[in-house]
Amino acid sequence: MEEMEEELKCPVCGSFYREPIILPCSHNLCQACARNILVQTPESESPQSRRASGSGVSDYDYLDMDKMSLYSEADSGYGSYAGFASAPTTPCQKSPNGVRVFPPAMPPPAAHLSASLAPVPRNSCITCPQCHRSLILDDRGLRGFPKNRVLEGVIDRYQQSKAAALKCQLCEKAPKEATVMCEQCDVFYCDPCRLRCHPPRGPLAKHRLVPPAQGRVSRRLSPRKISTCTDHELENHSMYCVQCKMPVCYQCLEEGKHSSHEVKALGAMWKLHKSQLSQALNGLSDRAKEAKEFLVQLRNMVQQIQENSVEFEACLVAQCDALIDALNRRKAQLLSRVNKEHEHKLKVVRDQISHCTVKLRQTTGLMEYCLEVIKENDPSGFLQISDALIRRVHMTEDQWGKGTLTPRMTTDFDLNLDNTPLLQSIHQLDFVQMKPSSPVPAAPLLQLEDCCTHNNSATLSWKQPPLSAVMAEGYILELDDGNGGQFREVYVGKETMCTVDGLHFNSTYSARVKAFNKTGVSQYSKTLVLQTSEDTDSEEQTLAFPSPSERLQLRRMSPFSSTLNLQPNFSGRSCFDIRSSSHQLSLHSSLQSLNVSGCNFETQSPPYSQLVAWFAFDPGSAHSDIIFSNDNLTVTCSSYDDRVVLGKTGFSKGVHYWELTVDRYDNHPDPAFGVACIDVMKDIMLGKDDKAWAMYVDNNRSWFMHNNSHTNRTEGGITKGATVGVLLDLNRKTLTFSINEDQQGPIAFENMEGLFFPAVSLNRNVQVTLHTGLPVPDFYSSRASIA
């Protein structure tokens, strides 16, 4: 029961719900807290003005506070809001659990008025502190929200179960422990108060006095007040609207907004939803059981790692102590390495234990809350929250997916010490797998006939010398930055051919290869000079050696799929086999280091000459919820939350333009389009962090966003079939957007320097298709000619 407590607390005040109301987003608020976070919107945003203009179709109008600008075109909805119309601006405060609370600017209502009866200012807006969805209240104000009687009942039962003893309700100072309860008066009495206030004579003699525990049970089982309709307060709920997913009365069906909707019997839907919630809980219960067993396994692994560590240390110390004093210094180094491995293993397992424990506690709390809700006998109240609970249970079950209950670390220490070498070799003593055992391989030979460039890609091929007696275990390919700078590793593996994509256009790169085995690394091959394409009309490219006399005309290859991943040009082979040594590299960071802004050089082409490139979306760097199709040109998402996907090609110079066609657009989501760095956060809307520059748009308006700052609200949105254009001009360092071939707003961002990847964020309600290799649009070309 204690794990359920966080489900029963208001997100604003942090205390147990008092008179909770249900918002249309299915979250709950105390009625008093709902009043405290009301703000007044401009007259143009009111539901009355929307209905007058013909744009409003419902009693409540949702607004996205990320987008809504209350008093300024540049306001994002996250700062301090003004109070009501007659009050000065009041900064927002924070509740005990960190949720922003907007205090009412008007004086509190009179003492004789309750929170539900006090007048609500006109054009009031309320924002859910949990999902940040906002809506404008209609004339009913907070009375238009139904009360969550099921939640009140669960809180009542929870608080009663936590109470140590029932106290007298009539003691003036320190309440004494109650001894009886009157079922007719519904009051708990101690003995002195019972004799004084409830004497056993007259009309009170007929009242039934029971023990406090029995009185608590009878009070809990007493029927609650039947729920009434929020639109027709004198009518009880009698049916369930399938379309709106809420209980309704007969007047709603005859003359209200549900008259044309499909309705079903209240009792039948109550039983159906209880059954669905019970079935969903069965699956979640299985996951919780597996999680508990998994935690036991992890705790056993901690003990086993401890034991193996002690055993390994003892063996290592025994070997080292058998050697002469010259081994002592080396012994300390080896012990330090083992201890680091020990701490690393423990840290990984303990982190996994902590993470799994938190998830299990949340899951258990949700299960207990749902079980308490299932006990509720009020069909109307149950159906008000059942849909949301069913979704939460399914989402929580999905979080216990594949790999979650799999250990991330083994318990074994794969280290072996060889103590057989002679004393004169003590200074070379190391773990077996790190000791030299054979000569290094010879320098590789470049296969000039197989090397070529195309677009911003380069393909290199090499081989071992024919008379080499030492076999190479792998190769390391290095490229400079395209401007004569330092060499960087871009590929480590066994293959002898590699295609490097995502290079600068119209740039000269130097490449070299070396081989390695367990013993060490060979000398470098000859350095090869590569020239990437100036534009797509280039028929041939020239590959030059360091000596000017050695020139070779290269054949043009078929178009490659531009990608950040460096991969061999052979299908079916392993792309990478990176050693655990000083040659290990991170692929994306290596490519990024090749294209950092400090390595760029100025273009000598006219200001608006375009470097055309074809590319697709990159599954390797995208969020796991992104769904790819159409050769990675079409993407959508499996989650209701925004997820980010990047293009395969990064740009740091030139003018580039691409478009995205909106194939599906349901329920007014807010997709975002733009560019981002390779390390942008993938689980939030594009532009929420400082690694992305984006325009996000709904069906009416658009905003520019970078580092969670919203600017330039512009009328005009997207629908199914719309086309969004992104124009990245790195010559002028600007980013511009268009919708249906018309520029959307001013220049979105300036001073754009660095390596940028095309990027999109979307949820399951959106599907887009990428179109690349496009010329600069007319509106930008005309502006360039004027400039």
Side-chain angles (χ1 to χ4, degrees):
M1 292 289 287
E2 292 181 357
E3 295 178 342
M4 183 181 64
E5 184 168 316
E6 61 186 65
E7 297 276 349
L8 309 180
K9 290 186 176 180
C10 174
V12 176
C13 64
S15 302
F16 287 109
Y17 286 103
R18 295 182 297 274
E19 297 183 3
I21 59 175
I22 306 175
L23 300 180
C25 58
S26 298
H27 291 126
N28 302 286
L29 280 179
C30 297
Q31 195 165 46
C33 295
R35 285 194 61 86
N36 285 342
I37 63 174
L38 289 176
V39 294
Q40 190 175 17
T41 62
E43 187 69 27
S44 59
E45 298 289 350
S46 67
Q48 292 84 356
S49 62
R50 291 191 174 204
R51 282 191 286 269
S53 61
S55 60
V57 295
S58 64
D59 291 332
Y60 294 102
D61 294 334
Y62 267 116
L63 300 174
D64 190 336
M65 293 305 277
D66 286 356
K67 308 178 299 180
M68 185 180 70
S69 177
L70 295 179
Y71 295 99
S72 166
E73 286 293 322
D75 182 58
S76 67
Y78 282 109
S80 300
Y81 291 98
F84 299 120
S86 60
T89 300
T90 304
C92 63
Q93 301 174 351
K94 283 190 176 181
S95 70
N97 58 353
V99 178
R100 278 182 290 268
V101 178
F102 302 97
M106 294 185 64
H112 64 278
L113 292 177
S114 67
S116 60
L117 297 178
V120 174
R122 187 181 181 187
N123 301 342
S124 293
C125 171
I126 188 171
T127 301
C128 176
Q130 291 182 280
C131 65
H132 305 296
R133 296 292 292 180
S134 303
L135 57 95
I136 298 176
L137 274 62
D138 60 10
D139 295 335
R140 296 174 295 174
L142 296 178
R143 292 183 295 103
F145 298 123
K147 293 183 178 180
N148 195 338
R149 298 183 314 282
V150 174
L151 181 57
E152 282 184 316
V154 174
I155 293 174
D156 180 57
R157 291 195 295 269
Y158 178 75
Q159 291 180 322
Q160 290 180 1
S161 66
K162 297 281 287 186
L166 294 172
K167 301 295 183 180
C168 176
Q169 296 176 287
L170 296 181
C171 291
E172 295 183 356
K173 295 182 179 180
K176 299 179 181 179
E177 185 174 346
T179 57
V180 294
M181 173 197 171
C182 177
E183 289 188 339
Q184 286 71 28
C185 300
D186 195 20
V187 176
F188 289 93
Y189 299 96
C190 63
D191 287 335
C193 292
R194 177 179 62 83
L195 295 175
R196 185 179 70 253
C197 303
H198 200 286
R201 57 182 177 272
L204 298 179
K206 298 181 179 180
H207 288 194
R208 183 186 177 194
L209 301 179
V210 297
Q214 182 179 345
R216 174 195 288 175
V217 174
S218 62
R219 174 186 287 182
R220 187 183 305 171
L221 297 178
S222 61
R224 292 196 184 96
K225 181 181 177 182
I226 300 176
S227 62
T228 58
C229 180
T230 56
D231 295 326
H232 310 94
E233 297 182 355
L234 299 180
E235 299 296 334
N236 297 332
H237 289 146
S238 57
M239 298 296 288
Y240 180 80
C241 180
V242 178
Q243 182 173 339
C244 300
K245 297 183 178 180
M246 62 181 296
V248 294
C249 69
Y250 82 96
Q251 287 194 15
C252 293
L253 303 179
E254 292 182 356
E255 56 190 32
K257 58 184 179 182
H258 303 278
S259 58
S260 59
H261 295 177
E262 179 186 358
V263 296
K264 291 188 178 181
L266 194 66
M269 294 302 296
W270 170 47
K271 294 180 180 178
L272 175 62
H273 282 219
K274 273 199 172 185
S275 174
Q276 291 176 352
L277 182 57
S278 299
Q279 292 175 1
L281 279 177
N282 290 335
L284 188 59
S285 177
D286 294 338
R287 294 293 181 270
K289 181 179 178 181
E290 294 175 6
K292 291 179 181 178
E293 296 173 353
F294 180 61
L295 283 174
V296 174
Q297 178 185 354
L298 292 178
R299 293 189 178 97
N300 292 335
M301 288 181 64
V302 171
Q303 180 64 26
Q304 193 171 356
I305 290 175
Q306 296 277 18
E307 295 173 356
N308 290 348
S309 174
V310 172
E311 180 181 353
F312 188 83
E313 287 184 15
C315 179
L316 181 61
V317 172
Q319 288 180 329
C320 291
D321 289 343
L323 302 176
I324 62 175
D325 293 340
L327 289 174
N328 289 333
R329 292 187 297 271
R330 194 65 176 173
K331 179 179 65 176
Q333 298 174 0
L334 297 175
L335 281 173
S336 175
R337 192 178 305 176
V338 173
N339 287 331
K340 288 181 180 179
E341 181 73 8
H342 169 210
E343 294 300 328
H344 172 66
K345 287 178 178 288
L346 288 181
K347 182 179 183 301
V348 171
V349 176
R350 284 170 175 162
D351 288 347
Q352 194 172 9
I353 289 176
S354 176
H355 176 71
C356 189
T357 301
V358 172
K359 290 183 65 176
L360 178 61
R361 180 179 60 82
Q362 294 173 348
T363 300
T364 306
L366 178 60
M367 289 172 54
E368 292 182 353
Y369 173 62
C370 292
L371 290 173
E372 289 297 323
V373 171
I374 290 178
K375 296 177 183 177
E376 184 57 43
N377 295 322
D378 180 5
S380 174
F382 179 84
L383 292 174
Q384 287 176 340
I385 63 173
S386 57
D387 281 293
L389 283 180
I390 292 170
R391 289 196 302 270
R392 285 187 60 190
V393 169
H394 284 303
M395 291 176 62
T396 305
E397 182 182 2
D398 293 341
Q399 292 176 359
W400 295 98
K402 294 182 178 178
T404 307
L405 302 180
T406 302
R408 301 175 184 171
M409 181 60 63
T410 63
T411 60
D412 296 329
F413 283 76
D414 298 326
L415 301 174
N416 295 312
L417 190 66
D418 186 2
N419 61 349
T420 59
L422 299 175
L423 293 179
Q424 60 266 29
S425 302
I426 289 179
H427 67 282
Q428 298 177 345
L429 186 63
D430 205 340
F431 292 109
V432 171
Q433 60 266 39
M434 296 183 179
K435 285 187 60 65
S437 58
S438 61
V440 299
L445 296 178
L446 291 167
Q447 298 281 84
L448 300 181
E449 63 275 11
D450 294 328
C451 298
C452 65
T453 62
H454 175 76
N455 253 0
N456 63 338
S457 302
T459 299
L460 297 100
S461 178
W462 58 89
K463 66 178 181 179
Q464 277 192 285
L467 301 179
S468 176
V470 180
M471 298 299 296
E473 295 182 1
Y475 302 92
I476 302 172
L477 173 63
E478 296 183 357
L479 263 69
D480 67 359
D481 58 12
N483 198 23
Q486 186 178 5
F487 280 90
R488 307 291 177 91
E489 293 181 0
V490 295
Y491 171 73
V492 178
K494 297 181 180 180
E495 303 296 343
T496 58
M497 179 176 285
C498 178
T499 297
V500 183
D501 294 338
L503 303 176
H504 298 313
F505 287 92
N506 193 24
S507 300
T508 301
Y509 288 89
S510 296
R512 61 187 185 185
V513 185
K514 59 183 177 181
F516 65 84
N517 60 11
K518 291 182 179 179
T519 302
V521 182
S522 72
Q523 298 294 320
Y524 284 104
S525 66
K526 290 184 178 181
T527 301
L528 205 61
V529 179
L530 305 167
Q531 176 69 39
T532 56
S533 301
E534 181 175 355
D535 54 41
T536 56
D537 296 330
S538 300
E539 291 297 330
E540 291 183 337
Q541 299 298 327
T542 301
L543 185 65
F545 288 99
S547 173
S549 61
E550 294 179 306
R551 293 282 185 179
L552 178 66
Q553 295 294 326
L554 298 179
R555 60 186 176 85
R556 178 169 179 171
M557 298 283 288
S558 58
F560 295 106
S561 173
S562 302
T563 176
L564 276 178
N565 296 324
L566 308 181
Q567 52 188 356
N569 205 26
F570 295 112
S571 60
R573 296 189 182 182
S574 173
C575 295
F576 296 99
D577 185 9
I578 302 176
R579 298 181 301 142
S580 299
S581 68
S582 59
H583 301 294
Q584 187 170 356
L585 82 150
S586 170
L587 179 60
H588 283 167
S589 62
S590 297
L591 259 187
Q592 191 172 7
S593 64
L594 288 174
N595 292 298
V596 293
S597 57
C599 298
N600 296 341
F601 56 89
E602 296 296 330
T603 179
Q604 299 179 356
S605 58
Y608 286 94
S609 62
Q610 186 182 9
L611 301 178
V612 180
W614 289 267
F615 59 90
F617 289 115
D618 181 17
S621 63
H623 193 278
S624 58
D625 291 340
I626 297 294
I627 301 173
F628 295 84
S629 60
N630 189 23
D631 294 330
N632 298 335
L633 293 176
T634 300
V635 292
T636 184
C637 181
S638 61
S639 172
Y640 283 106
D641 297 322
D642 293 308
R643 301 295 186 236
V644 172
V645 57
L646 301 180
K648 286 187 175 181
T649 300
F651 302 110
S652 63
K653 59 185 293 186
V655 182
H656 306 275
Y657 177 71
W658 61 92
E659 292 181 346
L660 299 109
T661 302
V662 181
D663 302 328
R664 186 177 74 250
Y665 187 77
D666 305 327
N667 299 330
H668 309 297
D670 303 325
F673 310 88
V675 297
C677 301
I678 188 65
D679 55 345
V680 65
M681 296 181 66
K682 307 297 194 310
D683 56 353
I684 60 175
M685 178 186 287
L686 195 67
K688 289 275 189 178
D689 62 359
D690 60 350
K691 305 295 185 182
W693 297 257
M695 174 187 73
Y696 73 99
V697 57
D698 59 14
N699 60 333
N700 292 318
R701 296 168 292 185
S702 66
W703 293 259
F704 302 146
M705 182 163 63
H706 169 64
N707 199 15
N708 206 20
S709 175
H710 310 243
T711 58
N712 297 99
R713 185 181 71 179
T714 305
E715 297 300 323
I718 60 173
T719 59
K720 179 180 179 181
T723 299
V724 177
V726 183
L727 198 152
L728 179 63
D729 187 347
L730 293 173
N731 295 342
R732 292 184 176 268
K733 303 177 182 179
T734 61
L735 181 64
T736 309
F737 298 95
S738 64
I739 296 181
N740 295 329
E741 300 182 355
D742 292 327
Q743 183 173 345
Q744 185 73 357
I747 294 176
F749 301 101
E750 298 179 335
N751 301 320
M752 302 287 292
E753 293 184 356
L755 178 65
F756 303 102
F757 294 84
V760 177
S761 70
L762 71 173
N763 62 14
R764 66 183 303 168
N765 295 321
V766 183
Q767 177 176 300
V768 299
T769 297
L770 177 66
H771 306 278
T772 61
L774 304 177
V776 171
D778 293 339
F779 74 82
Y780 200 71
S781 300
S782 59
R783 190 176 71 184
S785 61
I786 295 175

